[in-house]
Amino acid sequence: QVQLVESGGGLVQAGGSLRLSCAASGRTFNTYAMGWFRQAPGKEREFVAAISGSSTSTYYADSVKGRFTISRDNAKNTMYLQMNSLKPEETAVYYCAARNNRLLRSRSDEYAYWGQGTQVTVSS
């Protein structure tokens, strides 16, 4: 089974940047599509970005296009989310997730494995 651990969250001022990391274990990590989601209190989990197992394809939510960049280093079994120009409304717990398939998806129920999340707080 795949296990995922997020890190890199914290407190940042509006307009600032953070880079989140997701460390993964599992025999077939480099074959899985992966993604980032976020969830604020009282709101449903929201898709942020996804990347294919080979890193040849990426997909972003409209709200983060041009500001966030998803990447992965399969040699290190790690996925990243570079977040720039952060906004206060993007305060949330950010989760990494992995599929058991190579194809990109944006629905949370299409992901089989989840980390525990890392808190990102953006102050105004």
Side-chain angles (χ1 to χ4, degrees), residues 41-123:
K43 299 182 67 176
E44 67 181 14
R45 190 163 296 185
E46 176 188 27
F47 171 77
V48 177
I51 187 166
S52 63
S54 64
S55 301
T56 57
S57 298
T58 59
Y59 179 65
Y60 297 91
D62 288 344
S63 61
V64 307
K65 286 180 180 177
R67 297 186 298 116
F68 289 13
T69 302
I70 189 170
S71 61
R72 67 193 293 166
D73 184 342
N74 288 344
K76 294 181 169 64
N77 285 356
T78 303
M79 179 179 66
Y80 305 95
L81 184 68
Q82 177 67 46
M83 305 185 294
N84 298 328
S85 301
L86 282 160
K87 305 173 182 179
E89 58 265 35
E90 293 176 311
T91 293
V93 176
Y94 283 68
Y95 298 90
C96 66
R99 302 199 67 215
N100 56 10
N101 193 282
R102 294 169 291 178
L103 302 179
L104 297 180
R105 292 290 188 271
S106 61
R107 290 170 55 95
S108 60
D109 61 6
E110 295 277 11
Y111 287 78
Y113 308 102
W114 293 84
Q116 294 297 308
T118 185
Q119 177 70 45
V120 172
T121 302
V122 185
S123 62

